[in-house]
Amino acid sequence: MDQFVIGVDIGGTRTKLGLVNIKTGEVLHEIVHATEKEREPLFLQQVYRSIHEFRTLLADAKASLHGIGFGIPGFVDEHGVVDTTYGFLRFMENYPLKSKIEADTGIACRLDNDARVVALGEALFGLGKNHSRVLALTLGTGLGVGFVVNGTFPDLFPLSHM
């Protein structure tokens, strides 16, 4: 049985959601809508509507959903709280997105900076698949940099060296 996750890329103009095969990285289905930047209920409604559509597709295919991951244009702490988006998403400053998504949908949720997520995707399934180090630059509403070493994020500034 195939296993899937939902990937969410929150961008300055559009929010893109994809239903992704965990083993192959193949995107089975994609939904794109304008990014709601001002109103939390409308943003969540768009995400939940997409999740419902993906769950319907998976039920028809007799496949399972194992989680949802968000690429956030800003910083996220270790507990899944969006620290800041620099005012880009006004309602998401100090926002507990991980716990909100998990409580409302029952789906395990992960989030990280969008550029880091792009780098990890390229390292696992894209052009960086056969390389030990992958650097990704993202350019959109903002500029981002993600770095992956041996399939994980390096600790560039370990506290033990401070």
Side-chain angles (χ1 to χ4, degrees):
M1 175 190 273
D2 286 332
Q3 299 175 355
F4 290 86
V5 293
I6 298 171
V8 183
D9 174 27
I10 303 172
T13 305
R14 296 177 307 246
T15 295
K16 298 170 278 301
L17 299 95
L19 186 59
V20 182
N21 184 306
I22 293 173
K23 291 186 176 147
T24 66
E26 176 187 6
V27 178
L28 177 70
H29 189 69
E30 186 175 334
I31 298 172
V32 180
H33 54 78
T35 298
E36 174 54 48
K37 300 176 192 173
E38 303 288 331
R39 297 168 293 180
E40 173 202 24
L42 184 54
F43 174 84
L44 292 173
Q45 181 183 35
Q46 291 172 327
V47 170
Y48 296 158
R49 189 177 312 126
S50 299
I51 289 171
H52 177 74
E53 186 173 328
F54 290 148
R55 281 181 157 165
T56 300
L57 286 170
L58 290 175
D60 292 345
K62 295 183 177 32
S64 58
L65 180 63
H66 285 270
I68 185 167
F70 286 79
I72 305 293
F75 291 104
V76 179
D77 76 11
E78 66 273 9
H79 305 291
V81 174
V82 178
D83 181 43
T84 185
T85 64
Y86 300 104
F88 166 69
L89 297 165
R90 298 188 205 296
F91 65 87
M92 213 176 273
E93 302 296 315
N94 297 308
Y95 185 75
L97 182 60
K98 177 185 187 313
S99 61
K100 178 80 174 148
I101 295 294
E102 289 179 344
D104 291 350
T105 67
I107 302 170
C109 180
R110 299 278 307 264
L111 19 147
D112 206 329
N113 173 269
D114 53 358
R116 286 170 45 100
V117 171
V118 167
L120 185 60
E122 285 298 328
L124 297 176
F125 299 109
L127 294 174
K129 188 174 182 179
N130 297 316
H131 300 279
S132 61
R133 293 179 306 277
V134 176
L135 175 71
L137 303 172
T138 59
L139 180 60
T141 302
L143 174 67
V145 178
F147 189 53
V148 174
V149 177
N150 298 323
T152 190
F153 302 120
D155 188 0
L156 297 177
F157 304 104
L159 295 175
S160 61
H161 292 104
M162 296 184 142

